[in-house]
Amino acid sequence: PSVFDPPMMMVAAAGGMVHICREISSREEVLWEKVCELPLQAQKTVLSVAWAPNPGVHTHRCATACSDHKIRIYGLKTSSSWTLNGKDLKKGPASWSEAAEVRLEGELTSHGAPVWSVSWDTTGTNLASMDEKGKICLWSLDTSKDKISWKLLEAHQEKQRKNQSANANL
């Protein structure tokens, strides 16, 4: 990614679909167009999406939190180019083309309930997740291996407290 790339966003849609869109702006309005879709999330509901910051990284990274208790991390590599319509710009404007390649980088499975939320840190190498039972996990990109992998750093779950007000009335 470059500072010259248009802004992009990720949107979860019905049926497990996740759309990656880019901004196509004019002076009058801001519009978005779909660049690609992430692979179907096994027909499970996508409850949360997160776009990782990408300082100095050549690919975008995004995560989905799903009702099937899994987090999926994707790498998105975009390429774009301008094509001149002949040598003479009077023949017509230049055209912009963009291609996107999506690949699954990891499927994280330590949650025992639907995962409701995912959020990246500012480096885009650590990911926090929380499920519907309140379990919070912290994941980190494992750079000790040749291929991209993720490791669970910590998991916390607050124990349920018994209703103390009922005991106080006795």
Side-chain angles (χ1 to χ4, degrees):
S2 152
V3 294
F4 301 107
D5 289 343
M8 298 178 77
M9 74 172 166
M10 183 170 48
V11 179
M17 299 294 295
V18 176
H19 303 285
I20 304 289
C21 303
R22 73 174 172 94
E23 182 181 340
I24 51 171
S25 298
S26 67
R27 291 183 182 168
E28 296 82 34
E29 62 185 340
V30 175
L31 300 172
W32 295 86
E33 77 175 351
K34 184 171 69 170
V35 175
C36 65
E37 295 175 354
L38 296 184
L40 278 176
Q41 308 289 304
Q43 298 300 324
K44 300 296 179 185
T45 302
V46 176
L47 301 173
S48 178
V49 294
W51 196 280
N54 54 2
V57 181
H58 297 292
T59 60
H60 297 280
R61 188 168 282 136
C62 49
T64 60
C66 300
S67 63
D68 64 352
H69 310 188
K70 294 180 183 177
I71 300 162
R72 291 175 180 86
I73 300 175
Y74 294 92
L76 173 68
K77 190 172 193 173
T78 58
S79 60
S80 53
S81 62
W82 285 98
T83 304
L84 297 177
N85 297 329
K87 292 183 181 180
D88 187 1
L89 289 178
K90 293 179 183 177
K91 293 182 179 178
S95 60
W96 174 263
S97 64
E98 186 164 30
E101 175 190 332
V102 178
R103 72 181 187 293
L104 181 66
E105 288 186 354
E107 197 169 87
L108 312 178
T109 58
S110 287
H111 284 284
V115 184
W116 281 13
S117 181
V118 286
S119 182
W120 295 97
D121 72 344
T122 57
T123 66
T125 57
N126 294 304
L127 179 73
S129 60
M130 185 187 80
D131 66 28
E132 82 176 358
K133 292 183 179 178
K135 182 178 181 181
I136 298 170
C137 294
L138 181 61
W139 308 88
S140 182
L141 179 62
D142 187 355
T143 57
S144 66
K145 299 181 181 178
D146 291 338
K147 64 178 190 158
I148 295 173
S149 64
W150 296 86
K151 61 183 173 184
L152 179 64
L153 294 179
E154 293 184 51
H156 298 280
Q157 177 126 24
E158 187 174 334
K159 295 183 179 167
Q160 298 290 333
R161 294 183 179 150
K162 294 184 180 179
N163 189 348
Q164 294 176 351
S165 62
N167 293 335
N169 292 332
L170 295 176

